[in-house]
Amino acid sequence: MDCGYNPNNTIDDNTSGKFFDAIKVGYTIGHSVSLISLTIAIIILFLFRKLHCTRNYIHMHLFVSFILKAVAVLMKDVVLYEVGETDNCQSPVSCKAVVVFFQYGVMASYFWLLVEGLYLHTLLAVSFFSERKYFWWYILNGWGAPTIFISAWVITKAYLKHPGCWEIIDDSPWWIIKTPILVTILVNFFLFICIIRTLRQKMNCPDIGRKESNQYSRLAKSTLLLIPLFGINYIIFAFIPDHIHPQVRMVFDLILGSFQGFVVAVLYCFMNGEVQAEIKRKWRRWMLQRFLVADTKYQQPSMGSNGNNFSTQITMFTKCSPTTRRASECQEHLSVI
């Protein structure tokens, strides 16, 4: 065994070998699609200044955590398979470093999913709160907590002098990673029960209007769509031993889990009504500017007020009415997609 890893150890026959190859192809495609879509989503949220707010900042951190996870998976496969093909472990430090980076990416994605749940619950349950103050606590939770647990895991592994690349997940130190992830999943499950309960109370309240009720209804549907993304489905496998139905577990954990980042990008960015409206506004402004520039080529250039009128028309064309701005602000606080 080289660096503690040999890909042929788990392959008993030709059939199982083809199954593992199919699994590897499946999650490689999934993580690649997630990596591309998440990168595009971050660029969109970063470029448009009107989309800069606490809610979208949290989304961007969530995107980064899934990007780290996707990059770590692709790097881990390259390093571990290359190590498995060598006669001896040439670079054990780099091999272990890739596995540590992979575990950090996985744990960070779970903790930032927890942050999304905490933010949504706070948004509904607390009438007034300091988003800036909470945001720094969210960062500390999303990046700081995984750093602490991964550091403890690395120190334990080094102290026990475990051989190989530390990719073994059935030893006792593995619970240092597994327990916090399981806690985040359970907390998210509890948060979503509270969120759904709060939404039902608000929707059944006779004091709210029909329009506001429809907004709560859309938020409820969005919440129900997000439940699988917060790891609720993994609770089923968390308490089942690893040797029971391993192939079913691999399909859910590896293949379906690899597309999790893509679904997050779709729900939080590409299907976000605020993002779509901003892109359309920028597109209309760009098309109008092109039209005016092309039109002035066939007319004598005018000085003074005429030039200012063109600029004023563009600005007035792209500005929202006060009613639209109020609706946008309301939607910003009531919708997560």
Side-chain angles (χ1 to χ4, degrees), residues 6 18 20 43 45 49 122 139-140 227 236 251 269 298 315 325:
N6 189 347
K18 291 181 179 179
F20 288 120
I43 293 174
L45 295 181
R49 295 186 59 184
T122 305
I139 290 182
L140 185 62
I227 287 177
I236 301 175
V251 170
C269 182
Y298 300 98
T315 304
R325 287 198 299 269

Side-chain angles (χ1 to χ4, degrees), residues 45-93:
L45 295 181
F46 179 78
L47 289 180
F48 297 110
R49 295 186 59 184
K50 285 194 173 182
L51 300 178
H52 291 181
C53 61
T54 301
R55 174 170 47 84
N56 287 334
Y57 289 153
I58 294 176
H59 295 341
M60 292 174 69
H61 281 277
L62 177 65
F63 296 162
V64 172
S65 69
F66 275 100
I67 288 177
L68 292 179
K69 177 181 176 181
V71 172
V73 169
L74 300 178
M75 289 178 55
K76 180 175 69 72
D77 280 350
V78 172
V79 173
L80 292 184
Y81 273 84
E82 286 182 354
V83 169
E85 294 175 356
T86 59
D87 295 332
N88 50 56
C89 186
Q90 299 294 333
S91 54
V93 176

